[in-house]
Amino acid sequence: MAETEFDVIVIGGGPGGYVCAIRAAQLGMKVACVEKRATLGGTCLNIGCIPSKALLQSSEKYEEARHALADHGVVVKGDVELDLGRMLARKGEVVKANVQGIEFLFKKNKVTWLKGTGRIAAPGVVEVDGTAHRTKHIVIATGSDSVDLPGVKVDEKRIVTSTGGLELDQVPGHLVVIGGGYIGLELGSVWRRLGAKVTVVEFLDRIVPTMDGEVAKHFQRILGKQGVTFRLGTKVTGARTTNEGVVLSLEPAKGGAAEEITADVVLVAIGRKPHTAGLNLDAVGVALDERGRIRTEGFATSVPGIWAIGDVIVGPMLAHKAEEEGVALAEQIAGEHPHINYDAIPGVVYTWPEVASVGATEEQLKTAGVAYRSGKFPFTANGRARAMGETDGFVKILADAATDRILGAHIIGPDAGTLIAELALAVEFSASAEDVARTSHAHPSLNEAVKEAALAVAGRPIHI
Ligand code: FAD
Ligand code: NAI
């Protein structure tokens, strides 16, 4: 058995793992990254963030050409046609360019890619398809998988997870999405724009449970106007495939009469669970928590020399969270003292309009008994949003009543995912609402709505 000595072996080549590997190499360590997939980049680049955003972008253009251009005086003569094959091929090209980019970065930084499935034989020993590699540190960055719904068996053709939902070779007549969260609303938007009737079945009595309640209500209203039907407070108890389609049995979540609905395709998007199978964690003594996540303290697992980051540990399952952890852990192993401010990690739903947030929701502040002031500004009063013809939504900033420090910010509106960066920086710098309000914002820009919301915290917006 060949043996190579590394300083760090990272298991998993997603945003957590590949970033950790590159940062560790930058810091002078000898690093390997084990990845079983044929390409690097993990869930995010291969079957997550990147392909979903490619389809969101393409479907947005299709919808714009069909419904929005005429208002701008741009007349499309004849029918606007969908070439789904080309749209999917383009998505594939976008993914390919991104995953090849990571391979290039590995070469540039002299990170060894150990191709195959990794297993921890013992602390300090990682086996990759039977070959043992010795290392001082092991980093587990094996990510997550879709949660299964009992009674609804995924075949990735008619009953799909997000993976199959990114590959449908025709637009379904009726798409039923189970789960009104990030994936359900993003992919539901893609297929609705392309012509599907979309029904979202959500167990709770609201969508995106982690989002500020007022924003979620507004979001649901806008998606409803776009044509998405919501069945809130409803659970799916079973599915059977017939010639007519997939017949789903539904029941009110609190109990009551059952009913059936028929779908051409069902997308199961009820969350993701940590992926730890096959790593030999039990035998090595790496402890899990009650939700199957690897238990960590400062990324250290219960076994010295074995660390974990990303979707496989506690915290939001987001690529940029995994990346921050990858960098911080590499620096920690190198003896530095990094710090991650988890209150300053933004979350974005890339629908149109986009929905973005950072820090606390109004509900969280109320539960914690924190006195706060809220400032809100609608995009209907923003000149740039009017010029764009995109006036749905608002910016809401929550600041500490005593100190004016920004505790949370929530945006629903055009390019909310880009606008939130300013407020994430504000939270990171412990800025006050007044700091943002007194910063000059270019005119005419969408960011002026952020400035106005900050002014509104002090009760003095100019443009409403
Ligand atoms: P992963 O990206 O899951 O990578 C883990 C890697 O480890 C995988 O490549 C896997 O093959 C490999 N692996 C597992 N076990 C082994 C083993 N034993 N040996 C070798 N290799 C192994 N997040 C965002 O921030 N923004 C978005 O827009 C966004 N969109 C998403 C859209 C979809 C449809 C999905 C499903 C997810 C999306 N996410 C998004 C979430 C994001 O993809 C994850 O949070 C992120 O990929 C987690 O990174 P990670 O490195 O922890 O794990
Ligand atoms: P999610 O946690 O965002 O949403 C799941 C939804 O399903 C919730 O609203 C939940 O109440 C509901 N649900 C749970 N069980 C149910 C049941 N039995 N019946 C009906 N509804 C049920 O999970 P999702 O959408 O699967 O995405 C997984 C994760 O991937 C996200 O939480 C996010 O971390 C990440 N992601 C991030 C994106 C982004 O950043 N733009 C995009 C896509 C995914």
Side-chain angles (χ1 to χ4, degrees):
M1 272 208 296
E3 286 208 355
T4 321
E5 176 90 28
F6 289 98
D7 294 312
V8 178
I9 294 183
V10 182
I11 307 178
Y18 83 71
V19 168
C20 183
I22 291 173
R23 184 71 189 117
Q26 283 177 345
L27 290 164
M29 290 179 252
K30 186 171 179 193
V31 185
C33 179
V34 190
E35 175 54 61
K36 61 183 178 182
R37 206 185 284 274
T39 48
L40 294 168
T43 302
C44 178
L45 273 62
N46 289 281
I47 51 164
C49 326
I50 297 300
S52 60
K53 265 80 259 179
L55 288 186
L56 278 158
Q57 192 70 37
S58 300
S59 60
E60 235 167 75
K61 288 195 182 298
Y62 177 65
E63 180 156 85
E64 201 174 24
R66 290 212 309 165
H67 301 299
L69 291 184
D71 190 46
H72 289 263
V74 179
V75 180
V76 180
K77 297 253 183 200
D79 284 345
V80 175
E81 280 179 26
L82 171 66
D83 180 351
L84 182 58
R86 174 63 204 136
M87 202 178 273
L88 294 176
R90 176 185 176 276
K91 177 205 65 171
E93 289 157 18
V94 172
V95 167
K96 190 169 170 203
N98 277 276
V99 297
Q100 284 180 343
I102 309 302
E103 210 172 327
F104 163 79
L105 291 174
F106 269 17
K107 286 193 185 119
K108 181 181 160 203
N109 288 282
K110 301 193 171 47
V111 173
T112 304
W113 175 6
L114 299 172
K115 297 184 185 183
T117 302
R119 176 180 171 275
I120 304 175
V125 186
V126 174
E127 265 177 26
V128 182
D129 294 342
T131 302
H133 301 268
R134 301 201 74 80
T135 180
K136 296 190 185 87
H137 301 272
I138 297 172
V139 177
I140 304 171
T142 46
S144 61
D145 299 313
S146 307
V147 168
D148 298 322
L149 181 59
V152 184
K153 197 171 164 10
V154 168
D155 60 14
E156 295 295 11
K157 293 267 177 267
R158 299 182 85 174
I159 302 181
V160 299
T161 65
S162 52
T163 304
L166 290 163
E167 291 287 333
L168 301 180
D169 55 11
Q170 53 180 336
V171 179
H174 185 200
L175 173 70
V176 174
V177 176
I178 310 178
Y182 279 72
I183 291 178
L185 299 179
E186 287 189 356
L187 288 186
S189 288
V190 165
W191 294 107
R192 183 202 56 73
R193 291 170 189 163
L194 299 182
K197 173 181 175 220
V198 175
T199 305
V200 175
V201 182
E202 164 61 49
F203 186 80
L204 299 176
D205 56 10
R206 55 163 294 175
I207 59 170
V208 208
T210 49
M211 192 183 274
D212 183 88
E214 183 186 12
V215 174
K217 264 201 194 120
H218 197 82
F219 187 27
Q220 191 190 328
R221 224 175 11 246
I222 293 176
L223 292 174
K225 273 199 277 178
Q226 292 174 356
V228 178
T229 304
F230 288 94
R231 301 292 308 268
L232 302 185
T234 303
K235 63 181 173 193
V236 175
T237 53
R240 65 196 151 80
T241 307
T242 68
N243 287 340
E244 282 71 51
V246 183
V247 181
L248 289 176
S249 313
L250 308 185
E251 268 177 34
K254 294 185 180 120
E259 63 173 308
E260 291 190 333
I261 55 171
T262 304
D264 298 290
V265 174
V266 175
L267 168 64
V268 183
I270 58 167
R272 293 181 62 82
K273 56 174 193 257
H275 178 90
T276 54
L279 286 171
N280 199 32
L281 298 186
D282 227 15
V284 178
V286 173
L288 305 183
D289 70 12
E290 70 294 345
R291 290 168 62 181
R293 299 173 295 206
I294 295 176
R295 198 185 287 278
T296 49
E297 218 181 298
F299 311 126
T301 70
S302 48
V303 178
I306 303 182
W307 314 82
I309 53 171
D311 277 11
V312 83
I313 69 167
V314 70
M317 290 181 164
L318 296 173
H320 43 286
K321 177 260 193 188
E323 290 189 39
E324 293 305 331
E325 292 181 340
V327 168
L329 174 56
E331 292 175 352
Q332 198 172 305
I333 289 173
E336 296 183 4
H337 301 279
H339 172 72
I340 297 176
N341 179 358
Y342 284 92
D343 289 334
I345 292 179
V348 181
V349 186
Y350 292 90
T351 45
W352 195 264
E354 292 181 347
V355 188
S357 66
V358 65
T361 63
E362 221 165 328
E363 290 77 18
Q364 285 169 334
L365 294 179
K366 279 184 185 142
T367 306
V370 177
Y372 64 92
R373 279 182 296 168
S374 169
K376 242 172 84 176
F377 190 82
F379 283 104
T380 43
N382 174 272
R384 184 66 187 278
R386 281 202 205 113
M388 291 167 71
E390 300 289 353
T391 52
D392 264 339
F394 55 86
V395 179
K396 169 162 133 179
I397 295 178
L398 305 169
D400 189 289
T403 64
D404 197 37
R405 181 176 166 172
I406 297 177
L407 303 173
H410 307 276
I411 307 177
I412 176 163
D415 273 335
T418 306
L419 297 179
I420 201 70
E422 174 183 356
L423 290 161
L425 196 65
V427 172
E428 181 69 29
F429 285 9
S430 303
S432 63
E434 187 177 356
D435 287 328
V436 174
R438 290 195 179 275
T439 303
S440 175
H441 287 66
H443 176 75
S445 68
L446 294 171
N447 301 69
E448 287 175 294
V450 173
K451 177 186 171 93
E452 290 275 1
L455 281 164
V457 170
R460 56 184 184 92
I462 299 290
H463 291 93
I464 40 168

